[in-house]
Amino acid sequence: MREYKVVVLGSGGVGKSALTVQFVTGTFIEKYDPTIEDFYRKEIEVDSSPSVLEILDTAGTEQFASMRDLYIKNGQGFILVYSLVNQQSFQDIKPMRDQIIRVKRYEKVPVILVGNKVDLESEREVSSSEGRALAEEWGCPFMETSAKSKTMVDELFAEIVRQMNYAAQPDKDDPCCSAC
Amino acid sequence: MIAHKQKKTKKKRAWASGQLSTDITTSEMGLKSLSSNSIFDPDYIKELVNDIRKFSHMLLYLKEAIFSDCFKEVIHIRLEELLRVLKSIMNKHQNLNSVDLQNAAEMLTAKVKAVNFTEVNEENKNDLFQEVFSSIETLAFTFGNILTNFLMGDVGNDSLLRLPVSRETKSFENVSVESVDSSSEKGNFSPLELDNVLLKNTDSIELALSYAKTWSKYTKNIVSWVEKKLNLELESTRNMVKLAEATRTNIGIQEFMPLQSLFTNALLNDIESSHLLQQTIAALQANKFVQPLLGRKNEMEKQRKEIKELWKQEQNKMLEAENALKKAKLLCMQRQDEYEKAKSSMFRAEEEHLSSSGGLAKNLNKQLEKKRRLEEEALQKVEEANELYKVCVTNVEERRNDLENTKREILAQLRTLVFQCDLTLKAVTVNLFHMQHLQAASLADSLQSLCDSAKLYDPGQEYSEFVKATNSTEEEKVDGNVNKHLNSSQPSGFGPANSLEDVVRLPDSSNKIEEDRCSNSADITGPSFIRSWTFGMFSDSESTGGSSESRSLDSESISPGDFHRKLPRTPSSGTMSSADDLDEREPPSPSETGPNSLGTFKKTLMSKAALTHKFRKLRSPTKCRDCEGIVVFQGVECEECLLVCHRKCLENLVIICGHQKLPGKIHLFGAEFTQVAKKEPDGIPFILKICASEIENRALCLQGIYRVCGNKIKTEKLCQALENGMHLVDISEFSSHDICDVLKLYLRQLPEPFILFRLYKEFIDLAKEIQHVNEEQETKKNSLEDKKWPNMCIEINRILLKSKDLLRQLPASNFNSLHFLIVHLKRVVDHAEENKMNSKNLGVIFGPSLIRPRPTTAPITISSLAEYSNQARLVEFLITYSQKIFDGSLQPQDVMCSIGVVDQGCFPKPLLSPEERDIERSMKSLFFSSKEDIHTSESESKIFERATSFEESERKQNALGKCDACLSDKAQLLLDQEAESASQKIEDGKTPKPLSLKSDRSTNNVERHTPRTKIRPVSLPVDRLLLASPPNERNGRNMGNVNLDKFCKNPAFEGVNRKDAATTVCSKFNGFDQQTLQKIQDKQYEQNSLTAKTTMIMPSALQEKGVTTSLQISGDHSINATQPSKPYAEPVRSVREASERRSSDSYPLAPVRAPRTLQPQHWTTFYKPHAPIISIRGNEEKPASPSAAVPPGTDHDPHGLVVKSMPDPDKASACPGQATGQPKEDSEELGLPDVNPMCQRPRLKRMQQFEDLEGEIPQFV
């Protein structure tokens, strides 16, 4: 059974933990506690192959930005989450992707761009097209999810697994992976 | 014929012109003459002429009425008649019916109505009625025209629209309703009439009821329409607001966009009007439209049903009565029939009786009798029935009356009901449209103004501004970097150097100097702010090139402490001319300056803050205080605060005018905390206060406050503004999240957090304890419920006490700031229900900003996560228990009170464990500004505690003393050698040493001062200046040494004075020191770390005592500094700054130092520590303290004192063994230096290890 190390990144309060917990336990956490770091493990079946997801839910708050390098070093796939009701969180996501590329020294790191809180459609500040455009620029999948209403959550994690599979196949002797 | 007609028209015109009295006859005659020739039927013409005559009479009457008595009523009646006549004419003669005529008539009525009759008097009559007259004339003229056309025969082809008469009348009704109360005439019934009309109708009630029903249906429809519409509007306004807000923030980011401000205004308008609209909608939804109408409708429904019910009952009764009547009638008829029968049978019997006689007669008689009886009975019954019938008839009659009455009543009721409802409907409708009108009107106005201002925009203007701005900044940069190029590229138009200019330019150049310094210091401290370097280069050349006078004057007044930093730039002054050249770029053109040029700024859009300034044209190129670009052409300057900025930046300027010279840019983010804190009387940085108060004012209930990130660009701008304008920044323009971000950023960028590095471990231990207690609490709660609660309280109290103890060890400014922040956070937590930020959340967010370990080069590992959670836990604890922790007992005293107290406190100290104190003092003096360190109350109490424990400690100390002394000596040697390596004269340094060792107190004094004196030496040229002072210092020390107790105080003062004098001169050159110092210190640090590694054994147990003593000492120190400060206000400041700088420089040493302060406790725990351990410890610690001192020493020979001073503390610590210790030190010194250099490389890593281990040490203890 393959293990996948997934890191969830994004600025503060965008719903990283909510997404992760929704995926792992199937419940929506109402509490509003900032994360320092949480680790989850879940077995799922993606494309009829069982896999184990090790999900690192990280701190969004700037104070812990120094830990990001470490997370990135340890991760294989990255879920970059922004809140589509907060334009700034969308802006913040860009340097994070740059950081991933910088740390991994590799362009094709499995990444998914995720706009969370799609249930708050009425308060939307980041349009779908903006998100899609950025994802296209990065050459990565794009999704709009809602941890609250469990929209696209399972799909998201399945997709990241696929991305990691995809990334591992073409160039197996990639130095990045051995480093991980 | 044609001539005729023309004549007629002429006449008509003349008639119409208003001279009715004279012209009417002629017009009639004209008509008559015309009529004879006309093709029309003569009778018709006659009629027409009659009508026209009537009409003209009416016009005449109206005029008369106006001229004569001018009663409103009379005029209105006349007008009424006139209109009626006109109407009838138009009815009769369809050909005359035209829109023009109607318009003219309407105009006339409107004009008449418009007259305010209460104001009318003889004088203004003509004025007031002028319009009426003119409209009468128009009417007449129009009528004449139409008539002419008609008579000429071309009316049929007339393009005028002919309206159907019915509509015509209607429109007149409308017109006249208000002018004259003639509603009845016009077809409106009075209420009673209404009822009567209805009464005549058989099913009137049904009609009325059905009307009521339709009314309520209709209203229902109306209400639902209005409600739906309002909801839609509400939603759309919400979206509009959101859109506008988003757009506004987006737009705000871009610069130089055409019509930017206009659109910002438009967006603001949008938002404003949307808010207004929302209010309106809310009002309409509530008491202005929907509610009253719905209420009325419901009431209507209810009453209608009641009435219907009543009416049904009445009708039923009526029906019953009628039925009864019918029955009675039937009965009556039946009886009648029976009676008839009985009668006939009786007659027959009689006849038989008559015809038959004899024997039959008897029978017949009987029969006859019977029949007769029957007949009588039947008759009786008939009569009864008749009576019954009569009764029934009357009954029915009554019923009918009743019914009629109830009908009337019901109709009246219904009528009033309908009237009321109509009234309400009318009122709310008026409300609705009035409010909508207001809304639209204001919108229209603002749109109009926007439109107007948009018209003023000159296409391409912004673009050219943009190009200009980019050009200018580029030019400047080029200038700064390549001086020669600048010289050649200067436009010839700029005049020659003006001596006056220098003076004018002073503020500007000083600003640059300030900024230079900032950039310099930023470079030193490391993080960020590199961007200012380019400007730094530029201003470098300028500052050096500028007159020396201006430089000293300015910088002195702005921040003397920073002055020394200029020195390192001297080398770049090679091209002196460049600075002068720069100044002349924009020559002072007196004609343009001053109020004359003010007009030009009026056009530019200004932010709120910008409006507080009085701008004039900028005379010399400087840096913009808003965007930090160079201002050359498009610059303005405030007359009062001398703030300079681009004209285009006025839009975004957030610094308000302080009406006095705006201080230069300060280095705030990433700058030493003490540097900022010292500028505030309570040591709390202004940024903390500004941000906290703003957030408390508006954002306490905002969800995710302090958690959600702000806009990066805005945040940066705010940071910049805060550095430029300090407390004058108007932060209300920024969003709450931006402000939070700035506050967090400030805390995060502090080189050393509020909770000092040296206390990190203690606080983290505390956090661990808290965790422990919490866990216990959890388990106990689960198992034993609340039985052990008191125990827990005790535990928590213990931790509270401990945390208080630890907090006491913070310098006052740190403590105050921390206190301020925690109290603020507590306020945030108080609103946790709304903002969802409880103390745990805030703990996580502020944890790493308030308390963090000393940064290391080692990579971050997962283990630091545990640290994070501990940091978070500690901050959470501080917030949760903020009231208990920061109660009165912890209040640090302010400087003024403390001075006296500390003075008294001075004496007892030496009695206590002197070594520690001395060390502490020296350390303290290095680390903190004099003002802030004083916790007198605590220190006093500590002193007494100390006194009691002194004897014990002394014994131990004696034992240890020797060892310590040896170690300290070694350390000294080390230092000395370092100093040598730095090409300094060792001799100077060595000579003073022995002196200092002689007396504790004297050494104390010396130590305190020496750190400062060290500062001066750094810059070489200064040394010469200072040469005079060092001897004084020595003298002072000597005195102290010789006289011991007597002079213990005096030397201190002398020292201070000396320092002050010296530092005033020297401080200017401190900047250079810092850099060199750092390098040196880094080296030393490595060495220390090596030793530190070996010292793992050292129990780092409790600095508590040590630290508290340090506070006392620092208190002493402050006295020294503050007392002299009166006479030498400025010097003192510089001294302080110097010491602070020193403290910052010496940071890296802190952890190593800390163990030393712990010594006393170790002694109590380990009475006889092994000699080797101690020695090791000595090695580590001593180098540490010297390290701070060494750098200066290395730089400076004359201040051998410096070197000496560093060892002093060490020796002081060894003081119990004083004299004996010295020789050993000397001997050991020689050995040590060799060891250290070898180990330098590996140290970094080991340092890390050591620090890790350090964390575990307390557990060993």
Side-chain angles (χ1 to χ4, degrees), chain B residues 42 56 70 155 169 309 415 461 509 530 562 584 631 663 672 783 806 883 933 940 1067 1105 1141:
Chain B
S56 58
C70 200
V155 179
T169 34
E309 208 59 29
R415 177 176 44 78
Q461 187 181 325
S509 61
I530 300 161
D562 287 335
E584 287 140 27
V631 194
E672 288 305 332
S783 57
L806 282 172
Q883 277 167 337
D933 304 345
E940 272 187 328
S1067 59
K1105 283 191 179 181
R1141 217 159 282 133

Side-chain angles (χ1 to χ4, degrees), chain A residues 11-13 30 32-37 61-64 66-67 70-71 74 86 88-89 92 122-124, chain B residues 242 703-704 707-712 744 748 836-837 841 844-845 848-849 860-862 864-865 868-869:
Chain A
S11 60
E30 289 285 348
Y32 193 70
D33 296 351
T35 314
I36 294 179
E37 189 207 77
T61 326
E62 274 294 309
Q63 273 77 359
F64 301 100
S66 54
M67 296 291 291
L70 189 68
Y71 298 144
N74 288 325
N86 182 346
Q88 188 55 42
S89 71
D92 286 345
S122 59
E123 296 165 37
R124 184 192 273 274
Chain B
K242 215 177 283 168
Q703 179 175 327
R707 181 177 176 183
V708 177
C709 52
N711 184 316
K712 286 266 146 57
K744 287 193 290 180
R748 207 159 59 229
K836 296 199 173 180
M837 299 304 288
N841 291 354
V844 170
I845 282 159
S849 304
I860 299 161
T861 57
I862 294 289
S864 50
L865 283 175
Y868 282 144
S869 58

Side-chain angles (χ1 to χ4, degrees), chain B residues 779-797:
Chain B
T779 52
K780 276 176 187 162
K781 256 187 195 169
N782 292 340
S783 57
L784 296 169
E785 299 289 303
D786 281 345
K787 277 183 184 175
K788 291 222 169 180
W789 182 242
N791 273 351
M792 297 319 298
C793 285
I794 290 167
E795 278 292 284
I796 287 171
N797 274 336

Side-chain angles (χ1 to χ4, degrees), chain A:
Chain A
M1 205 172 345
R2 231 195 113 175
E3 285 189 353
Y4 299 88
K5 288 176 182 160
V6 179
V7 179
V8 189
L9 293 170
S11 60
V14 298
K16 294 178 294 298
S17 302
L19 270 180
T20 315
V21 172
Q22 176 63 271
F23 170 65
V24 176
T25 69
T27 52
F28 176 67
I29 41 168
E30 289 285 348
K31 62 176 184 172
Y32 193 70
D33 296 351
T35 314
I36 294 179
E37 189 207 77
D38 286 317
F39 181 77
Y40 301 91
R41 205 179 149 88
K42 188 176 182 177
E43 290 180 24
I44 58 165
E45 196 167 287
V46 179
D47 303 332
S48 67
S49 62
S51 21
V52 178
L53 276 187
E54 289 182 350
I55 305 162
L56 192 65
D57 178 20
T58 66
T61 326
E62 274 294 309
Q63 273 77 359
F64 301 100
S66 54
M67 296 291 291
R68 243 178 242 147
D69 271 2
L70 189 68
Y71 298 144
I72 294 170
K73 225 175 261 174
N74 288 325
Q76 294 167 328
F78 300 89
I79 297 177
L80 295 181
V81 189
Y82 67 88
S83 160
L84 49 75
V85 298
N86 182 346
Q87 176 70 34
Q88 188 55 42
S89 71
F90 183 62
Q91 302 300 330
D92 286 345
I93 211 84
K94 294 166 189 167
M96 285 186 208
R97 200 259 180 174
D98 296 341
Q99 197 178 0
I100 293 173
I101 304 296
R102 201 176 58 238
V103 173
K104 290 286 190 193
R105 280 180 278 169
Y106 176 62
E107 271 288 330
K108 291 176 185 169
V109 183
V111 165
I112 292 188
L113 181 65
V114 175
N116 195 25
K117 307 196 185 178
V118 80
D119 53 301
L120 299 177
E121 187 61 46
S122 59
E123 296 165 37
R124 184 192 273 274
E125 280 181 14
V126 185
S127 70
S128 302
S129 53
E130 277 178 87
R132 201 165 293 115
L134 185 64
E136 252 167 50
E137 186 190 317
W138 291 351
C140 75
F142 169 70
M143 284 185 180
E144 289 197 338
T145 63
S146 165
K148 192 169 190 176
S149 56
K150 200 166 187 186
T151 325
M152 299 289 283
V153 176
D154 292 337
E155 291 86 341
L156 164 66
F157 285 90
E159 184 59 34
I160 191 69
V161 169
R162 269 182 223 120
Q163 286 294 313
M164 282 185 280
N165 282 333
Y166 178 74
Q169 278 163 10
D171 27 0
K172 277 172 187 167
D173 49 352
D174 180 59
C176 153
C177 286
S178 61
C180 305

Side-chain angles (χ1 to χ4, degrees), chain B residues 1227-1246:
Chain B
S1227 61
E1228 284 178 63
E1229 276 173 9
L1230 299 170
L1232 272 171
D1234 297 333
V1235 181
N1236 290 330
M1238 289 173 60
C1239 309
Q1240 280 182 356
R1241 283 290 145 197
R1243 263 170 217 171
L1244 272 180
K1245 276 189 182 177
R1246 285 174 194 167

